[in-house]
Amino acid sequence: MPPKAPTVAEARAFVEKVEARLLEANVEASRADWVKSTYITDDTEALAAKADERAINAQVELAKASTRFDRLKLPADLARKLKLLKISLTLATPADPKASEELTRIVSGMEGAYGKGKWCPPGSDKCLDIEDLSRLMAESRVPNQLRDAWVGWHRISPPMRPDFARYVALANQGARELGFADTGALWRSKYDMPPDDFAREMDRLWEQVRPLYLQLHAYVRNRLREKYGDDAVPATGPIPAHLLGNMWAQTWENVYSLVAPPNADPGYDLTEILKGRKTDAQQMVRYGEGFFTSLGFASLPETFWQRSLFTKPRDREVVCHASAWDVDFADDLRVKMCIDITGEYFATIHHELGHNFYQRAYNRQPYLFRDSANDGFHEAIGDTIALSITPEYLVKLGLLDKAPDPSKDIGLLLNQALDKISFLPFGLLIDQWRWKVFSGEVPPEKYNESWWALRRKYQGVTPPVARSEEDFDPGAKYHVAANVPYARYFLADILQFQFHCALAQAAGCTEPLHRCSIYGNKEAGRRLNAMLEMGQSRPWPDALEALTGERQMDATAIRDYFAPLERWLEEQNRGKPVGW
Ligand code: X8Z
Ligand code: ZN
């Protein structure tokens, strides 16, 4: 006799069981991951790997079991939950227990290796971690020093190379068992559209913003030539990656003082203000919380303040790379970051709190809907809020006496572009690289060469010294070592301006977008919350529409925001080469 066709009632009962089981397994894994990330040892790494393995195996098993409902006509909510069950993993473990154990051990180990990464300069008795090195990259203007720090940090990753190749093979095996071509296809399947369409969507958005990036690149190159000379920075070629104020040349705001417009400098520096007032890490986070409560969101729970990690402990290894947690998928919100008192960290705090307020807004959804509309939305919320950190807002906080005159707007916009526009090609290329690696188009013996081909093509940067396949430069970036997809940050960079534009309108701001702050505006807060509380219960275009009235991700808002700067850059670059 053929097996009996399953019923809708069975599907519903199955989903209920799935939600209870995954909640339990993932809370356990979160706890183990938290301990591991805030106290890296061989033991915490092994325990976290084990808990991750159990949670992932459970989901893989349940996703496979759910295929028996594939041909059943289901109500929309059930159909969506079963679909999410199949696509929401970022790492799929193979059914073979040895392989699944090896895979989760490797991933836990690579993140740990990154977290412990240090460079010990010859002749010095102090070893430098990524926080020390990031400060150096931001502040030093001595090319040899910058080069040494860059090369020093990039030594942490060659040992990861064999592990990384093995992780690619095992993760692909898991993805294939779930019916995906490879792990890249699994990652691209999370956007309520066919995976190939998503790749085209990324290209479309990049084409929308590329002209602005080219203008910024050309302008910065010229100013760096004036500072470092024609030999260091070529007139028509890519910019050496160590001269842009950041280890990965992913954002360039730390070279603002080298490229500032002489007549339009806004005349204040948030880092100096915060340091001058002896602001501490906790106070920085309080400022961030204050923005969200001004919109009508409830304050963070007491446990947030008790359990979060704000400063780097002196006595143990931790993963300093900032992250936001929702350990029990309800109210146990935390951030983990090693805060420095700078304007850059001030923005990152808002970024992380955006995750926490999103997590809490959707916590009344059923378990499988407790995530953002798509992962770009999660990354965009805190940044959207941070776009409202205008001079007028700083005046309201009492951090600034008087807002600069509008004639200084070009300086403010340039500073902002060095953060947001410079990031776009970087945000795009990380997963361009990983998609090719997962598909096999880039084999291990071409890892580094293909990485630099993409860095050159999209960002227009080159390594400060010759590289080879002895190196593994992608592994010196957290998200590659830790298996965190990256297309989300590219999307967020575009989406946050779309969100900001809609919220500024809701708040009745009629000024140019860059001068709008939604601080204290309850109507903007209500609109934002309406989107956040949906979680991922509906396809992302529905969530986007709830906030913006639009159903497409679109770079018009980011171009509009920077329009005055773009005209100014074109004038500065007139008659000079653009591109590389
Ligand atoms: O990783 C992050 C956040 C944590 S989700 C701090 N970001 C990316 C990065 O640092 O590379 C934020 C912007 C891009
Ligand atoms: Zn984030």
Side-chain angles (χ1 to χ4, degrees):
M1 257 200 347
K4 241 181 47 211
T7 63
V8 173
E10 277 166 355
R12 196 167 285 288
F14 175 80
V15 165
E16 259 171 45
K17 205 180 68 193
V18 165
E19 294 199 291
R21 183 147 166 228
L22 291 185
L23 174 62
E24 193 188 336
N26 280 309
V27 171
E28 192 189 335
S30 290
R31 292 195 198 291
D33 283 339
W34 175 269
V35 175
K36 173 206 125 169
S37 297
T38 58
Y39 194 168
I40 310 174
T41 69
D42 292 340
D43 295 318
T44 58
E45 229 171 75
L47 290 168
K50 200 72 217 160
D52 288 346
E53 189 196 348
R54 272 197 296 269
I56 299 172
N57 283 351
Q59 185 159 346
V60 168
E61 246 171 58
L62 293 165
K64 287 175 185 164
S66 76
T67 54
R68 76 191 171 96
F69 302 109
D70 278 356
R71 289 206 306 225
L72 189 60
K73 177 110 188 64
L74 290 168
D77 68 319
L78 275 188
R80 182 157 179 82
K81 284 182 177 176
L82 288 177
K83 182 180 153 195
L84 291 169
L85 174 65
K86 297 185 185 110
I87 61 172
S88 67
L89 287 167
T90 46
L91 186 68
T93 44
D96 170 13
K98 272 180 91 173
S100 98
E101 204 213 315
E102 186 186 358
L103 176 58
T104 47
R105 278 295 281 262
I106 288 177
V107 172
S108 191
M110 287 194 301
E111 190 189 8
Y114 183 97
K116 289 183 283 195
K118 278 178 197 56
W119 173 54
C120 310
S124 151
D125 51 3
K126 187 177 170 336
C127 296
L128 307 176
D129 61 26
I130 188 58
E131 271 63 47
D132 301 323
L133 291 166
S134 293
R135 267 189 294 275
L136 195 151
M137 296 303 292
E139 289 165 12
S140 169
R141 304 293 187 230
V142 183
N144 288 351
Q145 218 174 36
L146 291 164
R147 183 201 59 206
D148 291 350
W150 190 99
V151 171
W153 176 249
H154 284 77
R155 289 216 179 106
I156 67 151
S157 44
M160 281 177 209
R161 188 187 251 272
D163 282 346
F164 189 85
R166 185 77 184 135
Y167 138 86
V168 169
L170 292 169
N172 278 341
Q173 191 183 326
R176 282 183 199 121
E177 289 176 17
L178 277 179
F180 297 92
D182 58 68
T183 299
L186 168 61
W187 289 6
R188 291 190 300 278
S189 74
K190 296 168 192 274
Y191 299 91
D192 296 303
M193 62 175 86
D196 289 349
D197 289 12
F198 177 67
R200 275 194 290 277
E201 190 67 355
M202 294 282 283
D203 292 338
R204 178 180 71 77
L205 292 168
W206 168 238
E207 285 308 320
Q208 268 189 293
V209 292
R210 200 167 74 96
L212 176 52
Y213 179 74
L214 291 179
Q215 290 296 328
L216 182 68
H217 180 280
Y219 173 76
V220 168
R221 179 172 60 193
N222 278 323
R223 301 303 302 258
L224 292 180
R225 281 165 59 73
E226 284 163 22
K227 167 78 185 168
Y228 293 117
D230 300 354
D231 293 342
V233 185
T236 57
I239 304 173
H242 62 306
L243 301 179
L244 288 158
N246 175 280
M247 185 60 80
W248 308 274
Q250 68 180 64
T251 58
W252 307 346
E253 72 272 28
N254 292 317
V255 297
Y256 174 75
S257 62
L258 296 181
V259 305
N263 308 318
D265 186 61
Y268 77 90
D269 173 350
L270 187 52
T271 300
E272 276 170 28
I273 296 173
L274 293 165
K275 286 203 169 121
R277 298 168 61 98
K278 307 229 178 325
T279 312
D280 65 15
Q282 153 122 343
Q283 184 57 45
M284 298 257 283
V285 184
R286 290 273 180 204
Y287 281 129
E289 181 195 34
F291 202 118
F292 286 89
T293 54
S294 89
L295 299 176
F297 291 91
S299 7
L300 291 163
E302 211 32 53
T303 50
F304 171 89
W305 303 99
Q306 291 155 351
R307 297 173 188 168
S308 288
L309 182 141
F310 295 153
T311 44
K312 187 177 173 109
R314 259 174 294 191
D315 55 350
R316 59 185 205 261
E317 302 283 5
V318 303
V319 178
C320 270
H321 190 90
S323 54
W325 300 59
D326 178 12
V327 172
D328 65 353
F329 295 82
D331 286 311
D332 192 349
L333 307 172
R334 309 178 194 178
V335 302
K336 171 192 67 56
M337 58 190 297
C338 305
I339 298 177
D340 256 353
I341 309 305
T342 65
E344 201 178 339
Y345 272 92
F346 196 71
T348 304
I349 287 166
H350 290 74
H351 174 97
E352 297 308 329
L353 291 183
H355 289 306
N356 286 140
F357 280 92
Y358 206 159
Q359 287 157 345
R360 195 172 52 183
Y362 57 60
N363 73 7
R364 269 170 299 195
Q365 291 286 348
Y367 174 80
L368 282 166
F369 292 157
R370 283 181 217 166
D371 205 340
S372 54
N374 73 38
D375 54 5
F377 283 58
H378 229 313
E379 299 303 336
I381 300 308
D383 285 12
T384 302
I385 298 303
L387 289 178
S388 279
I389 306 178
T390 55
E392 283 76 13
Y393 169 63
L394 296 177
V395 171
K396 280 192 189 149
L397 288 188
L399 289 175
L400 195 63
D401 291 336
K402 193 173 158 297
D405 185 83
S407 65
K408 312 293 185 200
D409 277 12
I410 289 296
L412 286 169
L413 280 171
L414 179 60
N415 194 42
Q416 190 76 297
L418 291 171
D419 182 3
K420 305 292 182 184
I421 302 302
S422 63
F423 180 75
L424 289 160
F426 186 77
L428 181 74
L429 76 84
I430 301 254
D431 283 353
Q432 297 276 345
W433 183 78
R434 272 189 297 197
W435 294 347
K436 286 179 203 280
V437 165
F438 285 128
S439 77
E441 187 187 330
V442 169
E445 62 276 15
K446 296 238 163 78
Y447 278 169
N448 226 46
E449 180 195 316
S450 59
W451 171 256
W452 283 106
L454 290 168
R455 297 264 277 159
R456 186 185 173 107
K457 174 177 171 193
Y458 287 107
Q459 284 187 288
V461 304
T462 42
V465 298
R467 308 307 279 166
S468 76
E469 296 302 330
E470 299 281 295
D471 305 300
F472 181 50
D473 295 325
K477 176 68 194 163
Y478 171 75
H479 303 70
V480 174
N483 184 49
V484 182
Y486 212 80
R488 55 182 64 180
Y489 300 105
F490 174 81
L491 298 177
D493 207 350
I494 306 233
L495 279 169
Q496 62 190 262
F497 288 89
Q498 236 175 317
F499 295 165
H500 178 66
C501 180
L503 291 169
Q505 257 172 30
C509 179
T510 52
E511 287 191 79
L513 265 185
H514 64 275
R515 282 200 225 133
C516 291
S517 176
I518 62 165
Y519 180 67
N521 192 286
K522 300 285 187 292
E523 175 53 21
R526 204 187 54 73
R527 284 280 288 277
L528 178 59
N529 188 55
M531 178 175 87
L532 301 189
E533 69 184 7
M534 291 168 74
Q536 63 176 343
S537 61
R538 312 272 318 147
W540 64 260
D542 291 5
L544 184 61
E545 191 171 19
L547 177 59
T548 67
E550 293 158 12
R551 296 186 60 82
Q552 271 224 324
M553 296 189 270
D554 180 44
T556 305
I558 189 171
R559 289 293 293 268
D560 285 352
Y561 184 101
F562 288 107
L565 178 75
E566 189 164 355
R567 285 193 296 275
W568 183 85
L569 288 171
E570 279 165 2
E571 249 165 60
Q572 310 300 309
N573 292 333
R574 187 153 302 142
K576 301 195 179 110
V578 171
W580 52 89

